[in-house]
Amino acid sequence: MLGRANYLALVGGGKQPKFPQNKVIIWDDAKQKAVVTLEFRTQVHRVRLSRSRIVVALQNSVHIYAFQSPPEKLSVFETADNHLGLCCLGAQVLAFPGRSPGQVQVVELNRGNVSIIPAHGAPLKALELSPDGKVLATASETVSDLSPVIAELRRGVDHATILSLAISPSSTLLAVTSDKSTLHVFDLPHVQTTPRTETAASKARQSPNYLPAPSISEDNNNQKWGVLGKIPLLPRVFSDVYSFTSAHFELDDEPQFGPGSALSGSRPIPIPGIPGGRPPKGIIGWTSDDALIVIGAGRDGRWEKFVIGEGDDSKRRCVRDGWRRYLGGGA
């Protein structure tokens, strides 16, 4: 969906799709009709919209169109395998996987300049661009590091699969969910190059609930290992920056094939039209700079609301403030 406008991008999916999975339909809800149709040779994994661009992510390429009727193809970029359809569209930049696993391509939309960022040594699992377009957060499939380009953040020591990344409206906090049923919140470092006018960040500072983010270079930068992080030649795990708070969320179990069942030992059949073939879990959405929603899936699909505030020890905490099932009824 394009912000709060009346345009929606539709792609077929599920067991009985209404549209082919290789077509993108731009639907004008005000006129109740399709205004743009794009067709490709392979399945569409993701669509991003802005007021001037339509971006379509396929398995091994990203296509950029001018948002007009008829649409004009502007560029095509090759990518590594991108079955999750990773792609972030900002006001000035577009980010998506590079040609090699673990790389990120960043395209300046106005100038056409392309930057290649060697973010990880393994394929990308998640990709998120801050609302102000200044910070890019990535996670890979095989490591638990988070790399916002100008700092390395770590959710924990043990291996975990990152489910979702989301940056707060003021671009000061990064929230992360993993398959360990944990939600982590990090302070994001920022590089201020020029004075800015009234923005979401400055508006957030005027809020009575605003909690300032410390600089990543300060001594209190959530380095879990203290003085060990300053000793040279030790593994990077001792110097990476950790989240300042975490909380448990419900991961929601998928149907299991129990012992003795005719389907015992089988794996769930991938759902057509859904990136990765399984319902997404742990999806994060910020509602303000101190509140966020985590959406689950499965038989017990629910959303949970978390708020960030100071505890009795003056440290910032993330606590669950409410929840509701959206599948199966009840609350």
Side-chain angles (χ1 to χ4, degrees):
M1 185 173 181
L2 176 54
R4 297 183 179 179
N6 50 292
Y7 293 107
L8 297 92
L10 305 176
V11 179
K15 296 180 180 179
Q16 296 179 333
K18 182 177 179 61
F19 304 110
Q21 296 173 19
N22 66 327
K23 278 189 176 182
V24 175
I25 309 296
I26 305 299
W27 179 266
D28 187 334
D29 200 51
K31 297 180 180 179
Q32 288 291 295
K33 68 175 185 179
V35 293
V36 172
T37 300
L38 299 171
E39 186 172 354
F40 302 89
R41 294 182 179 179
T42 59
Q43 178 181 340
V44 174
H45 289 312
R46 188 87 58 181
V47 181
R48 298 296 189 189
L49 299 178
S50 72
R51 296 187 180 277
S52 61
R53 299 287 192 274
I54 301 173
V55 179
V56 181
L58 308 181
Q59 179 72 14
N60 294 106
S61 60
V62 168
H63 299 247
I64 306 175
Y65 294 83
F67 198 156
Q68 60 188 40
S69 185
E72 176 188 357
K73 180 176 283 190
L74 302 177
S75 303
V76 178
F77 295 91
E78 295 182 3
T79 70
D81 286 343
N82 186 19
H83 65 280
L84 294 175
L86 300 179
C87 182
C88 296
L89 178 60
Q92 300 179 354
V93 299
L94 171 67
F96 49 88
R99 294 184 179 183
S100 298
Q103 289 185 346
V104 179
Q105 296 186 68
V106 179
V107 179
E108 294 184 49
L109 296 175
N110 294 331
R111 299 181 180 180
N113 297 334
V114 180
S115 300
I116 304 297
I117 301 173
H120 301 276
L124 298 174
K125 178 67 176 179
L127 189 66
E128 177 74 2
L129 183 68
S130 63
D132 63 8
K134 294 182 179 295
V135 177
L136 181 66
T138 68
S140 75
E141 291 184 351
T142 61
V143 297
S144 57
D145 295 341
L146 305 168
S147 175
V149 180
I150 54 177
E152 298 255 352
L153 311 180
R154 181 178 288 268
R155 50 146 294 280
V157 178
D158 57 327
H159 172 78
T161 298
I162 301 300
L163 301 178
S164 178
L165 303 176
I167 298 177
S168 64
S170 64
S171 301
T172 57
L173 299 177
L174 170 68
V176 180
T177 53
S178 75
D179 62 353
K180 300 293 186 181
S181 289
T182 52
L183 164 68
H184 293 262
V185 184
F186 298 82
D187 286 313
L188 273 183
H190 251 61
V191 178
Q192 297 288 352
T193 55
T194 57
R196 291 185 293 173
T197 56
E198 185 72 7
T199 62
S202 58
K203 290 179 181 178
R205 284 191 287 271
Q206 298 174 7
S207 169
N209 297 323
Y210 175 71
L211 298 172
S215 168
I216 205 71
S217 61
E218 293 178 1
D219 291 336
N220 61 338
N221 61 356
N222 299 311
Q223 284 189 344
K224 180 178 180 179
W225 306 98
V227 69
L228 291 177
K230 301 179 182 180
I231 300 177
L233 304 181
L234 281 182
R236 199 185 66 204
V237 64
F238 291 103
S239 59
D240 286 348
V241 178
Y242 288 75
S243 59
F244 66 80
T245 186
S246 63
H248 173 83
F249 72 93
E250 295 297 328
L251 192 57
D252 303 322
D253 293 331
E254 293 185 19
Q256 301 292 325
F257 301 127
S261 168
L263 297 177
S264 179
S266 301
R267 294 183 178 181
I269 299 175
I271 301 175
I274 295 181
R278 305 306 305 155
K281 297 182 177 183
I283 303 301
I284 307 169
W286 289 87
T287 59
S288 66
D289 281 314
D290 54 12
L292 62 158
I293 301 292
V294 177
I295 302 175
R299 294 175 299 183
D300 193 32
R302 67 178 70 189
W303 60 259
E304 298 174 83
K305 180 182 179 181
F306 295 86
V307 295
I308 300 172
E310 288 190 357
D312 295 336
D313 55 1
S314 297
K315 293 184 178 180
R316 288 174 291 173
R317 307 289 185 186
C318 181
V319 296
R320 191 171 75 166
D321 189 50
W323 65 278
R324 183 175 296 275
R325 290 192 182 95
Y326 63 85
L327 293 177

